[in-house]
Amino acid sequence: DKFIMAVETVLVVLLFILRINATPSVDCQSQPQASYPFCNINLTPAERATDIVTRLETEELIEQTSSIAPAIPELGINDYNWRSNCLHGWSLSGGHWSSDLKWTVFPAPIGLGATFDNNLVQKIGAATADEGRALHNIMLAKFNGSSTEAAGLNCFSPNVNLLRDPRWGRFQESFSEDPYLLSVIGAAYTNGLQVGDDPNYLKVAACAKHYVVHSGPDNLRASFTAVTTMHDFYDTYVEAFKSQVYAGNVSQIMPAYSGFNCSKERDGAPDAANKFILVDILRNQFETPNISVISDNGGVGEVYATHHFAKTPQAAAALCMNATTDLDLGYDEYYKKYLMKALNENLVDKETIVAAVWRNFYVRILLGDFDPIVNVSYQQINSSVLDSKENQELNILAAQKSIVLLKNKDGVLPLTTKMKKLAVIGPNANASHTLLSNYEGIPDKIVTVLEGITAQLAGSGVNVTYAPGCSSTSCSDDSDFNHATEAIKDADYVVMVMGLDGHLEGEGHDRVSHSCNKKDIDVLALPGCQGKLVDTIVGSNSHIILVLVNGGPLSLGDVYSNDKIRAVVEVFYPGALGGLAVASVLFGEYNPGGRMPVTTYTSSKEVPDSTDYNMNTSPGRTYRYYTGTPEVPFGFGLSYTTFNYSNFQILPINIKQCDTVNVQVMVKNTGKVMGDEVIQAYLSPPSIHDKSFIPKIQLVGFNRQSFDPGDRKDIKFVINPYLLSLVDDDGERYIFPGKYTIHVAKALPGKSVAGGEIKGESGSFIIKGDKPIKLSDCDDAPKCIAC
C-alpha cells in the first residue's frame, strides 16, 4: 500500500508539472554543474551564491549586474529578467505575452491604505504572488527556461514613499501620509508577496521603493535633491523602509531617482550613489548585508547625465557600485558599458562587484530558481489561479473595503429601487482603464461604475440614463453640458462620477491646474470645468450623489455645505471590478467602512512648495503637523450605521520609560445594520522645550472590526516603547518623561469641514523619569514602528 501511494504521489506531481510544461530557469540536473556546490540544495543559499561568483570571470560578473542578466551556458544558468512590478496585482515590464493570459487588477495602493485592514492587504499580496508565479511558470515553459521575455520572480513593489504632497503624480501608488499606517500596511503587503506555505523559499521577492526621501516633484526627479533635517529623515521618511526590513523582511530595495542631503550627508548624492542612505543606514543601521539593491530605471546613468554628480560615465557606475547598488535597471546599461573601465581606472574594486553579484544570486536562490521543480511547490502554480473566482471575490471585497463615505445627508444612501429614473453623469462614469490606476495588469474584464449600476438595477424597472458631460477629465470647457442636463430630466437621483485619471496624475507628471473656459482652477479641485458641471446639475436636481475616482485627494469647496449634494463617496481607483463594488455600496449591499488614509486640504494654498521636504513648514505637512482646518481629516469615514464608544481605560497611568501602555475601549453598533468600524488610537506627546519639530499628534494603533446590530466588543491597544518614543533633532529615538494623552476615536480628533468636530475618548498617563533616555537603552524594545 505504501509503495502504491508513493507511486501515485509521484504521478500526481509529474502530471502537475506536465500541466504547466514547467522548465527550470537553471539546469542543475546536467553535468558538470550538477556536481557543483551551487546546485546542492543541502547547502545554505549563502554558500551556494558564493560558489557561483567564484566561478565567474570579471566580464561575466559585470554582465550579471544588468537588469536582464545574460545566460551562463557553461553553468547551465539561463538568462534572467529582473523587470517585474506588482503594485496592486502583477504588472509587466516588457516581454511577449500570450493574448489569452488575463489576471487580477486590485484597487490602487491608496485605496488599499483606506481599508485600514492589514490582514486583507496581506491576502492581496499573496494572491498577487500566486498569479506572478503562475505567469512566470507559464512563460518560462514557453521560452524554454529563459525569462528574458517572461516575468522575473522579483517585483518592484511596494511603494512606501510617505504621501506628504497631494499634487504628486504617483500619490496613487502608496498607502498613506502616516508613518504607522504606511509601515503596517506596507509590511503586510510584503509579507503577503514573499511568505507562502513553503518555508524554504520566497514566493516572490518584494522590492520596496523609492528609497528614501522621495515624493515629487516628479518632473524634476532626475536632477532634484531633497533636503531634510535629521529629525524628519528618521521620524517621517525612513520609517516605512525600516519596517520593510524588520517587519517585512523585504528582499530588495530600490533607491529613488532624486538625491538626498541632510546634516550627515552634505554632498547631496543621488540616491543610487548615496553611501549615507545605502551603506550607513540600510546596510549597517538596519543590518541588511544580504539585501539586494536595484536602481530605478536609468538611475545609475542619471548620476552622470542629469544630476551631473559624476564627471564621467565610469565614475557614475563606480559611485553607484561603491554605494552597494547591486543591479542597474537602466536600458542604457551603465554597469555593462562602464564598470570594466571603472575597474581599470581603480574607481571600484573587483571584490565590490563580486559582493553585488553575490547578493543578486542570493535572491534567486531564495526563490528556488536553482532547485528541482518538484522541490519548489511554487514552481507548480499554474494558470488556474489567474483571475480565479477566489481572486475576483477578493478583488471586489478589497474595492468595497476601500470605499470611503464622506457625506450622507439625511441618510440618502443607500439608495433603493423605489425610483423611476436614475441618471449617471460624469467623465469617469463609464471610464474603464481609469479604474485600474497605473502599473496595472491585464484583467479579463473591467466593470465601470455605469456598468455596475446598470447591472445592479437590472430587472428593477428603473430607467438608467447616461451622459459624460465632459469629453475628458481635464474638461476644458462646458460644450458638452447640454447632453448631461438632458439626461437628468425627471431623474429621481443623479450619480455624478467625477475626478482624475492617468492623464492628470501619474509617473513623470504631477497634478497641475486645468482651466475652465480659460479660467484658472485650483490644482487640488475638480479639474477644468468638472466643478462647473456639478454646479450646473445641482441647479436642476436636488438629489446628487457625488462619486470621486482619483488618487490624490480632491478639494470640493462648498460641496459639504450644499444640501443638494446629498452624498459624497470616495472610491479612489478601485480596480478592474470597481464598478461592482461601487454599485454594491450605493445600493446598500455593502456598508462602507473605509477611512481616509490622507488629509484633504481646502485648497493648494494650504500645501507648501512641493520641493520643500520640511514637515514643519507652515502650515505643516500631513495631519501630524498641519495647524489649519482640513476639509476632510485623516482617518475619516462614515457608515450606514452608528457606533458608540464607552468604558475607556488607560492602564497603568504611571509608567517607567521602557514600559508599555494598555488602552481599552468598548465599541457598540447602535444602529440597525451590520457595519465595520475602524477604531483609531492617537498619541499626543507633552510639550517639550526646544522640540517644536516633534509632531503634535500621531497614530499609534488601529483596528477594523465588523459589528452586527447591537454587537459590542472590547478593543485593546498595546502602545509599546517604540510607539512612545520621539525622534530628537539628532535623529535618535528617545523616551521623554512627561504627561501624554491618548485619544481613541473614529477619526483624527479635531475640527474639519466634512466631519465637524470629532472628539472620541481621551485620557492621560505619565512617563516618569528625570531625563530622556534612548530607546536603544530599553531591553527588548521593538526595532521598528510596525514590529
Side-chain angles (χ1 to χ4, degrees):
D1 289 345
K2 290 183 178 178
F3 175 77
I4 293 172
M5 289 177 64
V7 171
E8 288 176 343
T9 300
V10 171
L11 286 173
V12 167
V13 171
L14 287 173
L15 285 170
F16 204 73
I17 293 171
L18 288 171
R19 229 168 95 197
I20 59 173
N21 299 311
T23 304
S25 178
V26 179
D27 178 12
C28 271
Q29 308 305 308
S30 302
Q31 294 295 344
Q33 63 266 21
S35 61
Y36 294 163
F38 74 79
C39 281
N40 185 347
I41 63 174
N42 295 314
L43 296 180
T44 67
E47 291 170 327
R48 298 172 71 183
T50 298
D51 181 61
I52 296 172
V53 296
T54 59
R55 297 177 183 277
L56 301 182
E57 300 294 335
T58 302
E59 293 82 358
E60 292 176 306
L61 288 166
I62 289 173
E63 286 181 334
Q64 292 300 313
T65 63
S66 173
S67 61
I68 299 181
I72 310 172
E74 67 272 19
L75 298 182
I77 298 174
N78 273 307
D79 51 11
Y80 186 82
N81 185 354
W82 289 93
R83 290 176 174 273
S84 290
N85 274 284
C86 55
L87 200 60
H88 52 113
W90 206 261
S91 176
L92 309 180
S93 297
H96 293 92
W97 293 83
S98 302
S99 59
D100 61 333
L101 291 177
K102 312 290 182 183
W103 57 96
T104 313
V105 180
F106 291 99
I110 185 66
L112 299 183
T115 68
F116 277 70
D117 190 336
N118 44 304
N119 293 324
L120 173 73
V121 171
Q122 185 160 337
K123 291 178 182 177
I124 292 168
T128 295
D130 284 341
E131 295 194 341
R133 271 284 181 173
L135 290 166
H136 176 79
N137 294 341
I138 292 166
M139 298 304 289
L140 211 60
K142 181 177 179 179
F143 290 101
N144 196 30
S146 165
S147 75
T148 299
E149 299 293 350
L153 288 172
N154 63 296
C155 59
F156 308 145
S157 307
N159 181 333
V160 288
N161 291 127
L162 186 124
L163 298 176
R164 66 178 184 105
D165 194 313
R167 295 165 297 203
W168 188 34
R170 305 185 74 171
F171 203 91
Q172 60 199 287
E173 293 183 30
S174 189
F175 302 107
S176 180
E177 69 178 37
D178 174 74
Y180 180 73
L181 179 62
L182 175 61
S183 297
V184 171
I185 296 292
Y189 192 64
T190 293
N191 279 309
L193 289 171
Q194 295 195 151
V195 181
D197 55 11
D198 189 337
N200 297 314
Y201 303 101
L202 296 172
K203 191 183 287 185
V204 301
C207 175
K209 64 184 185 183
H210 308 86
Y211 184 73
V212 61
V213 183
H214 181 75
S215 53
D218 226 44
N219 64 321
L220 301 179
R221 64 186 184 177
S223 57
F224 174 73
T225 296
V227 180
T228 72
T229 64
M230 289 305 297
H231 170 269
D232 286 351
F233 175 76
Y234 278 101
D235 184 61
T236 296
Y237 295 110
V238 82
E239 191 58 60
F241 291 95
K242 188 177 183 181
S243 292
Q244 282 290 306
V245 169
Y246 287 116
N249 197 28
V250 73
S251 299
Q252 290 190 301
I253 292 285
M254 176 181 285
Y257 284 116
S258 52
F260 174 66
N261 192 317
C262 68
S263 60
K264 291 187 179 180
E265 211 299 319
R266 295 186 181 277
D267 60 3
D271 287 0
N274 196 305
K275 281 190 173 182
F276 173 71
I277 65 171
L278 291 176
V279 178
D280 296 352
I281 305 300
L282 181 64
R283 301 289 185 198
N284 297 336
Q285 281 192 27
F286 295 171
E287 307 166 292
T288 60
N290 297 344
I291 206 166
S292 169
V293 174
I294 183 166
S295 78
D296 208 335
N297 193 9
V300 174
E302 288 176 356
V303 172
Y304 167 73
T306 55
H307 278 282
H308 307 299
F309 190 78
K311 293 183 178 180
T312 63
Q314 61 267 29
L319 283 168
C320 293
M321 181 57 68
N322 288 328
T324 72
T325 294
D326 305 313
L327 273 162
D328 174 11
L329 187 61
Y331 289 115
D332 50 10
E333 296 186 312
Y334 258 54
Y335 277 178
K336 187 175 180 179
K337 292 177 182 176
Y338 300 112
L339 266 183
M340 184 61 78
K341 193 170 185 179
L343 193 64
N344 293 335
E345 293 179 10
N346 296 318
L347 300 176
V348 65
D349 57 48
K350 183 178 177 179
E351 289 72 22
T352 301
I353 299 172
V354 169
V357 176
W358 182 95
R359 285 187 286 264
N360 299 337
F361 277 118
Y362 181 75
V363 172
R364 290 183 62 181
I365 292 167
L366 289 175
L367 288 162
D369 207 25
F370 285 69
D371 293 0
I373 288 172
V374 293
N375 288 46
V376 187
S377 60
Y378 306 138
Q379 299 278 39
Q380 299 158 28
I381 297 174
N382 63 18
S383 60
S384 65
V385 304
L386 298 178
D387 205 27
S388 64
K389 180 182 178 182
E390 293 78 12
N391 286 355
Q392 289 180 16
E393 291 172 351
L394 180 63
N395 197 8
I396 294 172
L397 178 63
Q400 290 170 327
K401 284 199 164 191
S402 72
I403 292 173
V404 184
L405 182 61
L406 296 176
K407 178 181 179 180
N408 195 19
K409 177 71 174 175
D410 300 326
V412 65
L413 294 181
L415 298 172
T416 72
T417 57
K418 295 180 180 179
M419 67 175 93
K420 293 181 179 179
K421 180 178 178 179
L422 176 71
V424 182
I425 304 296
N428 278 336
N430 203 34
S432 56
H433 199 81
T434 297
L435 304 184
L436 304 185
S437 185
N438 63 354
Y439 285 102
E440 72 282 8
I442 304 174
D444 182 52
K445 63 178 178 179
I446 302 173
V447 181
T448 68
V449 175
L450 174 64
E451 290 168 343
I453 291 172
T454 302
Q456 186 79 33
L457 293 175
S460 68
V462 177
N463 179 27
V464 178
T465 59
Y466 159 70
C470 298
S471 59
S472 67
T473 50
S474 57
C475 198
S476 60
D477 58 48
D478 55 9
S479 59
D480 292 325
F481 283 15
N482 59 313
H483 300 296
T485 54
E486 183 67 27
I488 70 166
K489 284 183 179 179
D490 301 320
D492 297 280
Y493 292 94
V494 180
V495 176
M496 300 196 70
V497 191
M498 316 298 283
L500 308 174
D501 63 14
H503 298 290
L504 302 183
E505 57 175 351
E507 182 170 4
H509 59 282
D510 297 338
R511 290 164 67 181
V512 297
S513 175
H514 289 267
S515 63
C516 173
N517 295 326
K518 299 183 179 181
K519 178 183 178 182
D520 289 341
I521 301 297
D522 189 87
V523 65
L524 297 185
L526 286 169
C529 287
Q530 283 194 47
K532 184 178 180 181
L533 176 60
V534 173
D535 292 340
T536 299
I537 301 302
V538 165
S540 303
N541 193 292
S542 60
H543 296 88
I544 311 297
I545 291 93
L546 182 59
V547 175
L548 303 175
V549 178
N550 54 283
L554 290 158
S555 304
L556 299 180
D558 63 356
V559 161
Y560 292 101
S561 60
N562 189 328
D563 288 344
K564 289 187 176 182
I565 302 175
R566 308 293 295 280
V568 180
V569 183
E570 171 64 78
V571 306
F572 303 103
Y573 295 121
L577 303 181
L580 297 176
V582 173
S584 72
V585 166
L586 294 179
F587 288 90
E589 285 187 3
Y590 188 86
N591 186 354
R595 300 291 186 267
M596 289 298 292
V598 294
T599 301
T600 304
Y601 303 96
T602 54
S603 76
S604 62
K605 294 178 181 179
E606 298 297 294
V607 184
D609 188 271
S610 60
T611 60
D612 185 350
Y613 274 75
N614 189 331
M615 299 302 291
N616 253 323
T617 299
S618 181
R621 286 194 183 274
T622 76
Y623 80 88
R624 298 194 307 144
Y625 292 93
Y626 183 56
T627 56
T629 300
E631 183 165 288
V632 182
F634 176 87
F636 181 74
L638 302 173
S639 172
Y640 295 155
T641 189
T642 55
F643 295 92
N644 180 63
Y645 291 39
S646 63
N647 297 341
F648 175 76
Q649 295 182 67
I650 300 176
L651 294 172
I653 58 173
N654 291 284
I655 66 169
K656 292 181 289 186
Q657 282 173 300
C658 292
D659 289 349
T660 61
V661 172
N662 297 287
V663 179
Q664 182 172 313
V665 67
M666 180 178 286
V667 179
K668 180 180 180 181
N669 181 350
T670 55
K672 296 181 179 180
V673 296
M674 185 182 77
D676 285 7
E677 178 72 337
V678 179
I679 305 97
Q680 302 160 46
Y682 295 87
L683 176 73
S684 292
S687 177
I688 302 171
H689 181 63
D690 290 336
K691 308 294 181 186
S692 61
F693 49 79
I694 290 174
K696 58 188 177 68
I697 190 170
Q698 55 192 24
L699 185 72
V700 291
F702 62 88
N703 191 334
R704 181 166 182 158
Q705 290 283 327
S706 295
F707 294 80
D708 287 325
D711 270 3
R712 62 182 71 196
K713 297 181 182 181
D714 287 325
I715 306 299
K716 299 177 181 180
F717 297 100
V718 178
I719 317 300
N720 63 49
Y722 198 101
L723 295 170
L724 294 173
S725 65
L726 303 170
V727 178
D728 208 344
D729 54 4
D730 61 357
E732 189 80 43
R733 282 194 173 270
Y734 293 85
I735 299 177
F736 289 83
K739 184 178 180 180
Y740 292 73
T741 301
I742 292 283
H743 313 267
V744 176
K746 62 183 180 180
L748 176 71
K751 294 181 179 180
S752 68
V753 175
E757 184 164 9
I758 297 168
K759 293 183 178 179
E761 303 288 322
S762 63
S764 299
F765 65 95
I766 293 173
I767 297 181
K768 296 185 291 184
D770 297 325
K771 61 180 182 179
I773 67 168
K774 289 184 177 181
L775 177 67
S776 57
D777 292 335
C778 296
D779 294 336
D780 301 321
K783 289 188 173 183
C784 71
I785 200 170
C787 293

